[in-house]
Amino acid sequence: QVQLVESGGGLVQAGGSLTLSCAASGPPSSRYNLGWFRQRPGKEREFVAATRWIGENAYSADYADSVKGRFTPSRNNVKNMSYLQMNSLKPEDTAVYYCAAHNTIQRLTTSREYAYWGQGTQVTVSS
C-alpha cells in the first residue's frame, strides 16, 4: 500500500548542493526503514543512505562510504516525507536517485531488502 514519489533532482555544478525529497503515502509506519539508492549510467543500483528507527522519535543514519561527510538523510513522519541533503557534489554522483522503504527497524543497505520504491529522479553533476 505504500507509495513513494521523489522530486528535487536537476543539474548542478561540482561542489554544489541539492536536496531530494520523497513524499510517501499509505502511509508507512514511523518504524519503517527509509533508504536512498542511486543508479549511475551503466552500473548497478547502489545504496546511498538510510534512516533507521532506534526509539520513539529517534533515528540513526546509515551511509555508503562514497557519500559520508557529504550526504545527509532525514525524515519527517508527521509530513510523511524523507529527504536527502547532498553537499559537495561530484561528477561521479550523477545518477538516478530512488527513495525506498521497508517495514523493519533493522539496518538495510541492499536493494533487495526494500519492498517499496519511488520512480526515481535524475541528478546530473557537471565539472
Side-chain angles (χ1 to χ4, degrees):
Q1 298 294 329
V2 175
Q3 296 182 344
L4 307 172
V5 179
E6 305 95 335
S7 62
L11 176 64
V12 63
Q13 289 188 334
S17 299
L18 203 62
T19 299
L20 304 182
S21 299
C22 179
S25 62
S29 167
S30 62
R31 292 179 174 84
Y32 271 54
N33 197 315
L34 300 179
W36 288 93
F37 290 76
R38 68 186 181 187
Q39 189 162 15
R40 292 180 284 180
K43 298 184 178 180
E44 296 180 348
R45 185 164 45 185
E46 64 182 283
F47 174 76
V48 175
T51 54
R52 172 166 46 88
W53 186 88
I54 58 173
E56 190 63 33
N57 200 33
Y59 298 87
S60 179
D62 300 310
Y63 306 88
D65 289 341
S66 60
V67 304
K68 284 183 178 179
R70 300 189 299 120
F71 291 11
T72 303
S74 61
R75 63 200 289 169
N76 187 318
N77 293 311
V78 174
K79 297 180 179 179
N80 295 319
M81 297 287 291
S82 65
Y83 308 93
L84 183 67
Q85 177 65 50
M86 304 183 293
N87 299 320
S88 301
L89 284 161
K90 305 174 181 179
E92 53 262 42
D93 294 320
T94 295
V96 177
Y97 283 74
Y98 300 87
C99 62
H102 192 71
N103 186 17
T104 181
I105 63 173
Q106 296 178 332
R107 181 177 182 269
L108 303 178
T109 58
T110 62
S111 60
R112 71 175 184 273
E113 295 173 309
Y114 285 83
Y116 307 102
W117 293 86
Q119 84 290 344
T121 185
Q122 177 71 48
V123 173
T124 302
V125 184
S126 62
S127 60

